[in-house]
Amino acid sequence: MHGAVGLHGRARGWRTVAVLAAVAAAALGAPGQAAATEEAPQVVARWKLATAAGTPQVSPGEGPGGVGLQLGGGAEIDGAEHLIPAPGIMRLDGLDGYAEATGLPLHTDQSFTLAGWANPVGNPARDMTVFSFAGADDSAVTVRWHYLWTDPVAGPVGEWQAELRDTDGTGSVTTRVNHSDWRSVLEHWTHLAVTYDAAESRFTLYVDGNPERQVCADDATDCRDYVSTSATAAPAYDATGGLQIGRTRSDGAWTEYFEGELDDIWVFQGALSEGSIMGLADYNIERDTSTVH
């Protein structure tokens, strides 16, 4: 990459799978207030996506309360395929497929973590949401594949993007961070993590366990800035629409349906360290739910 100063170079990985970890380091303050002190991160929920049963179908969860993921539209569980050693993935059709978990004991206006694997189909030429925390009008937190342009030779070009809104609806202050698309060590699979640390007002997007800071020289013509951390992020509002997998809320409507596969989704209340995020990005190890913090 010419004319750039940064931690990581870029490479195009058009069929990447994303692990998103949006880490919440939250204390036990009242809803609607950022906590004054931070406690050790606690697992709120984890879904291995190995089975689903019932009408509508629900994939069981681990963690306090065992909240399940309810599947909707063109969503299905494949119990044979796998990324981590444990079998099971979820497929979404990009039309109306999604999954949601409501009633999670999580406050998005405090520090938080969300983690999961996602594999977009083909070369995405549109925005597609991997995870979001929904409100009535707009999602408080969204992690997406963001389409940029189509190269005549390489095809669609995009990046990973995370977004934080401080209020639901018009007039919100929105914080966005971006990370370049690059090839994972496992071909199509990429690990994403996004964290919000309320004590530091820090919002960070990780890809394959790494944040990114690439700042282009003023005279660079073949370079794009990538700074995947904001140290001045206003806290998200406390979303009540639950965790949404494969879609986001915008102007009162569901949109950006994801087409592809997902696996091993985590939600934390409490800020994971970069080392813990790197551990979640290791697809060779199936981690015990109770040991990650």
Side-chain angles (χ1 to χ4, degrees):
M1 179 63 62
H2 301 291
V5 178
L7 297 177
H8 306 288
R10 286 194 296 153
R12 295 186 177 122
W14 307 118
R15 287 175 52 85
T16 46
V17 174
V19 166
L20 159 68
V23 177
L28 302 179
Q33 294 181 337
T37 60
E38 299 292 326
E39 296 187 355
Q42 300 295 319
V43 173
V44 172
R46 180 194 187 186
W47 299 276
K48 296 181 180 179
L49 306 175
T51 62
T55 304
Q57 287 203 316
V58 174
S59 187
E62 298 181 359
V67 178
L69 268 181
Q70 181 175 304
L71 278 60
E76 64 178 9
I77 297 295
D78 184 333
E81 293 291 332
H82 65 94
L83 169 63
I84 61 173
I89 61 171
M90 178 166 59
R91 289 196 179 95
L92 301 178
D93 64 359
L95 299 174
D96 62 358
Y98 70 95
E100 65 179 355
T102 58
L104 290 173
L106 178 79
H107 295 297
T108 54
D109 59 347
Q110 301 175 12
S111 306
F112 63 85
T113 297
L114 169 64
W117 293 95
N119 182 12
V121 169
N123 299 341
R126 62 180 179 88
D127 286 8
M128 298 197 305
T129 290
V130 183
F131 309 101
S132 69
F133 286 108
D137 293 315
D138 298 292
S139 290
V141 181
T142 300
V143 180
R144 63 168 60 89
W145 167 260
H146 178 50
Y147 168 71
L148 294 172
W149 68 81
T150 297
D151 183 278
V153 176
V157 178
E159 64 190 8
W160 295 109
Q161 182 182 88
E163 178 180 283
L164 194 72
R165 290 178 177 267
D166 71 341
T167 58
D168 193 4
T170 58
S172 66
V173 175
T174 302
T175 301
R176 292 187 183 94
V177 293
N178 302 283
H179 197 300
S180 59
D181 174 35
W182 59 5
R183 288 192 181 276
S184 168
V185 293
L186 187 61
E187 192 177 357
H188 304 320
W189 295 89
T190 301
H191 176 260
L192 293 178
V194 60
T195 72
Y196 177 65
D197 184 334
E200 301 291 334
S201 299
R202 185 175 299 275
F203 186 51
T204 303
L205 173 62
Y206 298 82
V207 176
D208 287 340
N210 298 288
E212 185 172 28
R213 181 173 176 80
Q214 174 176 285
V215 180
C216 303
D218 292 341
D219 60 351
T221 59
D222 60 348
C223 180
R224 180 177 176 87
D225 287 349
Y226 280 102
V227 180
S228 71
T229 296
S230 170
T232 59
Y237 70 88
D238 197 10
T240 58
L243 170 64
Q244 302 291 321
I245 310 297
R247 66 179 183 175
T248 192
R249 195 79 171 163
S250 179
D251 294 329
W254 297 113
T255 186
E256 296 183 11
Y257 283 89
F258 183 84
E259 183 180 9
E261 301 167 336
L262 302 103
D263 197 7
D264 199 27
I265 299 166
W266 298 71
V267 178
F268 294 84
Q269 190 88 73
L272 289 183
S273 67
E274 187 169 321
S276 293
I277 292 170
M278 287 290 291
L280 289 178
D282 186 351
Y283 52 82
N284 292 301
I285 301 173
E286 182 189 352
R287 300 190 176 274
D288 187 301
T289 303
S290 65
T291 64
V292 179
H293 51 80

